Amino acid sequence: MTIKDSTLMSQADSKSKKSMNPVIILLLVVLAAVLMTYFLDSGKFERNGKLIVPGTYQVLEKSVSPVNLINIYPQKEAAHAVSLLDALVSIPEAINKQSGMIFMVLFIGGMFGVLNKVGAIETGLERMLSATKGNVYILVPAMMIIFSMGSTFMGMAKEYLLVIPMVVAMANRMGMSSLIGLAIVAIPVKVGYLASITNPYALSIAQPLVGVPVFSGMGMRIFVYVVLMIIGILYVLRSIKKEAKNNTIEMSWDSAKLPTRHTWVLLTLAVGIGFLVYASQTWHWKYNELSAYYLSLGILFAIVGGLTANETVDAFVSGMKKVLIAGVLIGLATAVAILLSKGQILDTIIHSLASVVGENNSNLAAYGMFFSQLLIDVAIPSTSGQAAVTMPILGPLGQLAGVDPHTTVLAFLMGNGATNIITPTSSGLLIFLATAQVGWGQWARYIFPFFLIIILCAMAFLSLSLAVYG
């Protein structure tokens, strides 16, 4: 690495360190939730089970005093402004409540740790590069499709960090900038999250919270994936055409046959994804079953990949550490919902949003959900954390406005994914930028037109989803 390269990497790392930790952001959201219980009316809807009965909202009387903020005694009133002690207690309460979800996320991370240790994905990518012989119109679309499949089916994102330097180097050898190399990886990964065909990080959390089976409504998400991938590929190829002097270049990639073990690992992964979809749809697996499945896959990858017991455990624990922050964010996000519920202002928020949107205007409601997610994602870029905060609100809001739960989930996916492709508060994006040695300003200027295209497409997708699901 040259001195210039080291300087660029140090600058990128410095920018990443200066960004606010998402835990701090969510702690501020927790504090905001406490204050909201003092400034918003308490109220409630009548419910039929978990479903809100429209038109039944009523305001509740409550005593609001600044003294309540430092109250150290449990408050027995039906409606009350919560204290700082309530806020602290809500955090372990939330972690306990969402323990199944948190362990599922940790086991997903462990599974990916084992998969990365085996090295099958990286080797398979290298053989694919050799097969295309450097033809940019075959090479780039093929790579983007493979990267997108990992994110849209399995929720992979940071797992591509080791791939980014290789793709950037390939782009440089073809006469293109590091920005294009980053785009070849980042755009399909973000599009994969936008569609989330079977992405467990998004769907295993968001869909149960609105009362639909995990991975249901897949047809619409496949359509979203195909359309956005076509647009994404064309966007990158257009950029390449501007930069590259020669669109077809012969390169000396390793053309050796894919190792037998890696072939079997990749086949196991493909079969595992298919069975996951079938089992979740057929047996309605919950968090405990999903956690056990991801643990089993990790062990299976290790056996097929030839890892020792120690290597497997080390890789699994290392993978869990990488996603530990997601578990913390889920706990903090759920604490917000608990505080809103204790202060009995959650129904007030739902009622206010429904009043603005209109209970019978499903199109306007769907668009409102999408744009609200765009804004919320700036403060809470975590997909799982944002789902835990917003789905309990958007689900009932969708019911009141006549929006099907699958469209509500789609609005969440579109809003969360669109902002994450450009927002500087996204730790995942900043890590991508640092690895590729690309500045955020440079990336923002490049990706902004694509960001606008996503917004327009998202509105069209939501209208189509309303027509399909009613």
Side-chain angles (χ1 to χ4, degrees):
M1 180 180 288
T2 65
I3 294 176
K4 182 179 179 181
D5 292 335
S6 300
T7 302
L8 289 172
M9 181 64 81
S10 297
Q11 291 174 348
D13 290 341
S14 177
K15 289 179 181 178
S16 296
K17 291 178 182 178
K18 290 180 181 178
S19 60
M20 184 176 290
N21 191 296
V23 172
I24 297 176
I25 294 174
L26 271 176
L27 284 172
L28 293 175
V29 174
V30 169
L31 180 59
V34 171
L35 296 177
M36 287 171 65
T37 64
Y38 288 82
F39 294 100
L40 296 181
D41 290 333
S42 293
K44 68 175 183 179
F45 284 100
E46 293 181 10
R47 282 174 165 76
N48 180 13
K50 293 184 179 180
L51 300 178
I52 282 177
V53 179
T56 61
Y57 175 80
Q58 59 179 337
V59 177
L60 301 175
E61 292 186 4
K62 70 176 178 181
S63 173
V64 178
S65 170
V67 177
N68 290 350
L69 196 61
I70 56 174
N71 192 347
I72 61 173
Y73 299 102
Q75 301 185 52
K76 299 179 180 180
E77 294 85 354
H80 62 272
V82 300
S83 66
L84 292 177
L85 179 61
D86 288 323
L88 292 174
V89 172
S90 70
I91 296 174
E93 183 180 343
I95 292 175
N96 181 60
K97 181 179 180 180
Q98 298 290 10
S99 58
M101 183 190 303
I102 292 171
F103 275 109
M104 183 197 70
V105 172
L106 291 175
F107 282 15
I108 291 172
M111 180 196 68
F112 281 134
V114 173
L115 196 56
N116 287 334
K117 180 68 175 179
V118 171
I121 292 180
E122 186 176 353
T123 306
L125 172 64
E126 188 176 339
R127 298 305 179 270
M128 182 272 298
L129 294 174
S130 174
T132 60
K133 296 182 179 180
N135 187 317
V136 70
Y137 292 108
I138 298 176
L139 178 64
V140 171
M143 292 175 66
M144 292 181 70
I145 290 172
I146 290 174
F147 296 149
S148 69
M149 285 183 175
S151 63
T152 200
F153 288 121
M154 300 295 287
M156 296 173 64
K158 294 180 180 179
E159 290 75 22
Y160 291 114
L161 290 176
L162 295 178
V163 177
I164 290 177
M166 183 174 66
V167 178
V168 168
M170 179 202 72
N172 294 155
R173 287 172 61 183
M174 298 176 69
M176 298 177 289
S177 66
S178 298
L179 180 65
I180 298 299
L182 174 62
I184 292 173
V185 181
I187 287 181
V189 169
K190 298 302 182 180
V191 166
Y193 259 81
L194 275 161
S196 288
I197 295 177
T198 61
N199 177 3
Y201 289 106
L203 299 179
S204 296
I205 297 172
Q207 288 192 307
L209 290 176
V210 294
V212 295
V214 178
F215 305 134
S216 61
M218 191 181 301
M220 186 65 200
R221 295 195 301 278
I222 291 175
F223 175 75
V224 170
Y225 168 79
V226 172
V227 172
L228 291 183
M229 275 306 300
I230 291 173
I231 294 174
I233 289 171
L234 293 176
Y235 191 84
V236 173
L237 291 180
R238 180 175 176 272
S239 303
I240 291 174
K241 187 175 181 180
K242 288 183 177 180
E243 290 195 5
K245 296 179 180 179
N246 299 308
N247 289 336
T248 303
I249 295 178
E250 295 290 335
M251 295 182 292
S252 56
W253 297 99
D254 183 5
S255 58
K257 184 180 179 182
L258 189 67
T260 302
R261 283 190 180 277
H262 289 178
T263 301
W264 281 108
V265 169
L266 293 175
L267 288 174
T268 302
L269 175 60
V271 173
I273 293 172
F275 185 75
L276 171 64
V277 174
Y278 170 80
S280 299
Q281 292 279 357
T282 304
W283 300 311
H284 306 294
W285 278 358
K286 303 297 183 182
Y287 298 130
N288 289 340
E289 291 82 2
L290 289 169
S291 296
Y293 184 71
Y294 293 127
L295 175 61
S296 301
L297 274 183
I299 296 172
L300 191 58
F301 290 147
I303 294 173
V304 177
L307 297 183
T308 65
N310 283 338
E311 288 175 333
T312 302
V313 172
D314 289 343
F316 197 88
V317 172
S318 177
M320 291 176 70
K321 288 179 180 178
K322 292 181 180 179
V323 298
L324 181 60
I325 185 67
V328 176
L329 293 175
I330 291 172
L332 289 173
T334 305
V336 174
I338 289 175
L339 290 172
L340 297 179
S341 177
K342 285 183 177 179
Q344 296 205 33
I345 62 171
L346 188 59
D347 283 4
T348 299
I349 295 173
I350 296 170
H351 175 70
S352 299
L353 290 173
S355 299
V356 172
V357 172
E359 294 185 5
N360 297 315
N361 194 329
S362 57
N363 272 285
L364 186 57
Y367 298 154
M369 291 176 185
F370 167 65
F371 284 106
S372 67
Q373 294 287 2
L374 281 176
L375 297 175
I376 293 171
D377 191 68
V378 175
I380 311 176
S382 165
T383 299
S384 54
Q386 189 176 344
V389 169
T390 60
M391 287 296 98
I393 298 175
L394 294 186
L397 176 60
Q399 296 171 21
L400 294 175
V403 178
D404 181 85
H406 291 103
T407 304
T408 299
V409 172
L410 184 63
F412 156 70
L413 294 174
M414 293 286 99
N416 172 264
T419 308
N420 259 329
I421 204 170
I422 194 172
T423 176
T425 62
S426 171
S427 60
L429 176 60
L430 292 177
I431 293 172
F432 270 40
L433 294 174
T435 305
Q437 299 182 24
V438 173
W440 179 81
Q442 182 186 8
W443 172 257
R445 288 190 296 273
Y446 170 78
I447 204 66
F448 186 69
F450 186 67
F451 173 69
L452 295 179
I453 292 172
I454 289 176
I455 290 177
L456 294 176
C457 288
M459 296 178 70
F461 293 147
L462 290 172
S463 296
L464 179 60
S465 180
L466 287 171
V468 171
Y469 295 112

